[in-house]
Amino acid sequence: MLRVRDLERSFGDRTAVDGLSFDVAAGETYGLLGPNGSGKTTTISMICGILRSDSGIVELDGRSIDHRTRDAKRDLGLVPQELAVYADLTARENLRFFGRIQGLAGSELDTAIDRVLEVVALTDRADDLSREFSGGMQRRLNIAVGLLHGPKLLILDEPTVGVDPQSRNQILDAVDALGGEGLAVIYTTHYMEEAERLCDRIGIIDAGRLLAEGTRAELVAGLGDAARVRIDLADGAGDAVVSAVRGVDGVGSADLSGATLDVVTERPNAVIAPVIVAATDAGASVAGVAVDQADLESVFLDLTGRALRD
Amino acid sequence: MMLRQILDVAWLDLVRRIRNRSAFVVGFAGPVGLAVLFGLMLSGGGGGGVSVGVAAGPATEEFIARATANAPDDGPEVRYEAFADEASARRAVDDDEVGAAVVLRDPVAVDLVVFTRTDRPISAAVAEAVGNGVQDSLLGETPATSRPLEPEALGGRELSLAAYYGAAMPLLFLFFTTSLAAQSLLAEREDGTLARLLSTSISPAALVAGKVLAVFVLSVAGFAAAWVVTTVMADAAWGAPAGVIVLILASVAALAGIATFVASFASTARQAETLSSVVAFGLALLGGNLVSPGAMPDRLRQLRRLTPNGWALDGFVQLSTDSASVGSIAVVAAVLLVFAVGFGAAGLARVQRVVAP
Ligand SMILES: Nc1ncnc2c1ncn2[C@@H]1O[C@H](COP(=O)(O)OP(=O)(O)OP(=O)(O)O)[C@@H](O)[C@H]1O
Ligand SMILES: [Mg+2]
């Protein structure tokens, strides 16, 4: 249903999106997983036609979308990363306005408003000013506005950032349910767990490029039998330790985030001892060691040599 | 569809403005309140005293000297002013700079005219007396042939200061109100709602049109309210209603054009507000919104012609004093429309950059 080909966009001499291609099928939930600044927002801004692309194609059901498109955009629902509701209006007034702008009216509009309020669990707060909402409730209203006009493709840009755990769960449940109803969804995040839980397929994006794509199982299988070894350092963490560990035979990649050294390897049992020796020789002292089965985090580490979260 | 979207955007803006009291004050309560206040303080005034213009070619000075000498002791104190020709004397009466004028058209044929205003009866009487004196002295020793002078009334009423400030105050506030269109777009960009709007099927042009429509409605409503309220409460005489309506619409359009142009140089709503305030006070000072034009030095009075509010105010003064028809303010309205179209087009072109992807 959505086809993106060779999408490119630079700001000055910084390339934000660098030849991105992917497809989203009807009813599919597609995750764009990538760290801060990897180009997620820039990508979806071009998909929604609110940002000019330098080159490339976006097609929704065979209709091309760019910054001049009007009508075809009715099939899109955007939930921006930044809250995009009027704080001085109630939830219902916000929904009514955006619904009218999208071409809804009368009882059709009223029905749609009641439906989305239900979806995001805001029915009993519908007539409160949105500035009086908690952060999580505002995020839920933000989602409701994107859903209101019944788009075929819903695009959510990091909808759970800065949200309390309870609201976060509500949001994830709602998105899960929407995906189940046959709505196509693009979900951007830098939380690996969210991508794993919600998405049928995941594209891993870094520095504006799509590095890998597939189901969670496919992505992890791409690592072979790799596992992730996490080594907590009591002190002495530094670049010297990282390069020493990378030099150990059998280590796929190694990266330091904070005081934790992430090592991806296909032979965890064989490398643990030499890695600890190398780290100690380089001046670090080891406080603990854990072996995880590979997950998206290790896929990202393997692809980029860096941890997903900085 | 497009029209409906424009109306929806305009309606939303109006609702939010009215809910947000500070904007309501700028658009409505401020101009109306100040207009009434000034109106009530000044409605007694009008001033002027008795003044007579004289245009008698080379003999002008002599006639003024003689008229001064012949003035009765118990009469009003009269100020005489010399004019080079009939046209300038007549214009001075028209503009209420002098209460009446005596003009000698032809010394040989003793062709004399006296211009008067219905609202300056004393000046008119003095001018007639002076006129008769001039006629007598020109006809020499044969006053028997003296014809009674037929004063030529120029109509016109006293400039109503209540009406002057009734128009000057809304014109001042208009600047702030009309800059709200661009400010609102910039604020939506900062708040993130602009991105969402642009992701829908609405066109950037419809969005801008909706914002402009909202400030237009608010400004015209505030201006019209000042008109009605000062007329009822302070007896302000604004003049022919059709002319007032035309001038209000043209003024709003002109100031909206300039305000949009000015605000388009800002990149945040706060900047736009500051920029608009500075320009508003500058133009208000030059245009005579703060000081009445009579109190301004000559050179400053010339500068009024550079400001749309100065032109608008002149138009309102004409309407108020001349009981003029719509036709007589056509020039003012046309100039205001030129301001509106020129600055408006440039401003909108710049504002498009805010909304264009
Ligand atoms: N309007 C802009 N002007 C200049 N640079 C920009 C602009 N928008 C984005 N960028 C740059 O493009 C790159 C990608 O930014 P983008 O916002 O798409 O990342 P992101 O993946 O959405 O990050 P985050 O997770 O922090 O939201 C960044 O380096 C950013 O600095
Ligand atoms: Mg982003």
Side-chain angles (χ1 to χ4, degrees):
Chain A
M1 113 172 281
L2 179 75
R3 205 168 86 93
V4 177
R5 287 292 172 277
D6 305 320
L7 208 53
E8 271 179 39
R9 171 73 202 221
S10 307
F11 298 101
D13 50 12
R14 173 185 289 132
T15 306
V17 173
D18 190 3
L20 215 61
S21 302
F22 63 94
D23 295 278
V24 180
E28 183 179 40
T29 300
Y30 186 91
L32 269 182
L33 178 66
N36 290 133
S38 53
K40 304 182 295 292
T41 299
T42 307
T43 302
I44 61 177
S45 298
M46 290 187 285
I47 293 175
C48 296
I50 60 182
L51 184 72
R52 265 175 217 258
S53 59
D54 293 337
S55 62
I57 298 171
V58 176
E59 271 177 18
L60 186 64
D61 279 337
R63 291 191 290 178
S64 112
I65 294 188
D66 63 20
H67 61 279
R68 293 163 305 219
T69 308
R70 300 277 162 262
D71 285 347
K73 291 207 282 195
R74 215 158 286 149
D75 290 338
L76 286 173
L78 172 65
V79 178
Q81 180 170 6
E82 309 294 335
L83 280 179
V85 293
Y86 298 102
D88 48 1
L89 299 184
T90 67
R92 195 183 295 280
E93 288 167 335
N94 268 291
L95 290 166
R96 184 170 295 281
F97 170 70
F98 284 111
R100 289 184 60 86
I101 290 295
Q102 292 281 20
L104 300 178
S107 63
E108 194 191 4
L109 177 58
D110 292 335
T111 314
I113 291 175
D114 290 341
R115 179 180 59 86
V116 295
L117 282 170
E118 196 94 8
V119 171
V120 299
L122 281 178
T123 307
D124 52 342
R125 300 294 301 270
D127 296 309
D128 292 349
L129 291 180
S130 63
R131 86 158 76 86
E132 291 162 5
F133 283 2
S134 71
M137 292 164 72
Q138 290 179 340
R139 291 247 153 229
R140 273 142 62 196
L141 175 59
N142 203 32
I143 295 174
V145 176
L147 269 179
L148 181 66
H149 59 292
K152 293 181 185 163
L153 173 65
L154 180 67
I155 302 178
L156 298 137
D157 195 2
E158 307 206 37
T160 60
V161 168
V163 163
D164 60 283
Q166 190 201 345
S167 273
R168 185 173 174 195
N169 267 325
Q170 262 167 336
I171 290 173
L172 294 179
D173 286 345
V175 174
D176 216 1
L178 290 166
E181 287 167 17
L183 185 67
V185 177
I186 295 181
Y187 191 98
T188 84
T189 183
H190 59 262
Y191 295 124
M192 162 199 85
E193 321 84 64
E194 290 186 359
E196 290 191 332
R197 169 169 165 191
L198 294 175
C199 301
D200 301 317
R201 279 190 316 131
I202 296 160
I204 293 183
I205 179 174
D206 187 44
R209 293 170 164 277
L210 204 61
L211 301 178
E213 192 190 43
T215 62
R216 180 194 182 279
E218 286 166 358
L219 288 167
V220 173
L223 287 177
D225 294 325
R228 186 154 66 125
V229 179
R230 286 202 310 192
I231 300 170
D232 291 323
L233 302 177
D235 73 271
D239 290 342
V241 179
V242 178
S243 42
V245 169
R246 280 184 185 147
V248 173
D249 197 28
V251 167
S253 63
D255 190 56
L256 191 63
S257 59
T260 304
L261 190 61
D262 279 301
V263 178
V264 174
T265 171
E266 293 184 7
R267 294 175 286 135
N269 295 332
V271 302
I272 286 177
V275 161
I276 291 175
V277 170
T280 315
D281 287 350
S285 61
V286 174
V289 178
V291 180
D292 291 342
Q293 274 316 302
D295 56 16
L296 290 176
E297 189 80 48
S298 31
V299 174
F300 189 82
L301 185 64
D302 183 58
L303 290 168
T304 65
R306 288 182 292 113
L308 188 52
R309 256 168 283 175
D310 34 26
Chain B
M1 185 65 207
M2 171 125 169
L3 180 66
R4 207 188 96 172
Q5 289 176 329
I6 293 176
L7 293 177
D8 282 334
V9 170
W11 177 249
L12 182 84
D13 250 35
L14 281 174
V15 167
R16 295 181 63 209
R17 290 272 153 67
I18 288 164
R19 221 171 261 187
N20 167 355
R21 272 193 226 100
S22 71
F24 175 68
V25 165
V26 170
F28 209 80
V32 175
L34 276 186
V36 169
L37 200 70
F38 270 90
L40 288 177
M41 273 171 15
L42 301 167
S43 56
V50 179
S51 57
V52 172
V54 178
T60 302
E61 293 304 327
E62 189 198 330
F63 287 141
I64 290 179
R66 199 175 302 168
T68 313
N70 291 346
D73 291 339
D74 55 348
E77 192 169 330
V78 183
R79 182 172 62 83
Y80 292 98
E81 202 173 320
F83 288 96
D85 51 30
E86 172 174 348
S88 53
R90 188 186 166 121
R91 201 175 321 118
V93 177
D94 223 10
D95 293 349
D96 203 19
E97 281 165 21
V98 293
V102 186
V103 172
L104 181 63
R105 279 184 175 153
D106 184 345
V108 180
V110 194
D111 187 1
L112 259 171
V113 191
V114 175
F115 294 114
T116 64
R117 299 168 61 92
T118 46
D119 61 329
R120 297 275 185 217
I122 304 174
S123 296
V126 172
E128 272 180 66
V130 173
N132 283 320
V134 170
Q135 200 175 40
D136 290 350
S137 69
L138 282 177
L139 293 173
E141 277 66 60
T142 54
T145 62
S146 159
R147 315 166 277 175
L149 276 174
E150 283 292 336
E152 192 170 317
L154 291 174
R157 287 163 295 133
E158 197 171 347
L159 168 63
S160 154
L161 278 181
Y164 185 84
Y165 284 102
M169 288 302 125
L171 276 170
L172 173 62
F173 276 91
L174 217 47
F175 216 93
F176 298 97
T177 327
T178 51
S179 78
L180 289 175
Q183 273 182 45
S184 154
L185 274 177
L186 291 166
E188 292 222 27
R189 182 166 74 177
E190 288 157 48
D191 295 346
T193 44
L194 183 63
R196 164 160 264 150
L197 280 170
L198 294 176
S199 78
T200 70
S201 57
I202 194 172
S203 73
L207 188 57
V208 174
K211 302 278 180 197
V212 171
L213 178 63
V215 299
F216 219 87
V217 169
L218 189 66
S219 308
V220 170
F223 215 139
W227 174 27
V228 171
V229 173
T230 54
T231 304
V232 172
M233 291 184 59
D235 284 331
W238 286 55
V244 172
I245 290 169
V246 168
L247 269 190
I248 287 180
L249 292 175
S251 308
V252 170
L255 288 208
I258 296 215
T260 305
F261 181 72
V262 168
S264 73
F265 285 91
S267 49
T268 65
R270 176 62 55 90
Q271 265 179 25
E273 204 181 334
T274 312
L275 215 56
S276 305
S277 313
V278 171
V279 178
F281 276 109
L283 286 182
L285 270 175
L286 289 180
N289 295 66
L290 301 177
V291 199
S292 81
M296 290 174 92
D298 263 357
R299 213 166 290 145
L300 273 183
R301 284 180 71 165
Q302 304 298 318
L303 289 178
R304 303 177 64 201
R305 291 292 180 194
L306 297 176
T307 68
N309 42 321
W311 277 94
L313 215 41
D314 269 2
F316 283 109
V317 166
Q318 275 179 37
L319 274 181
S320 171
T321 55
D322 279 1
S323 52
S325 63
V326 183
S328 67
I329 48 138
V331 174
V332 173
V335 170
L336 289 175
L337 287 181
V338 169
F339 272 107
V341 172
F343 282 98
L348 287 179
R350 295 182 54 87
V351 164
Q352 284 289 338
R353 292 175 325 158
V354 175
V355 288

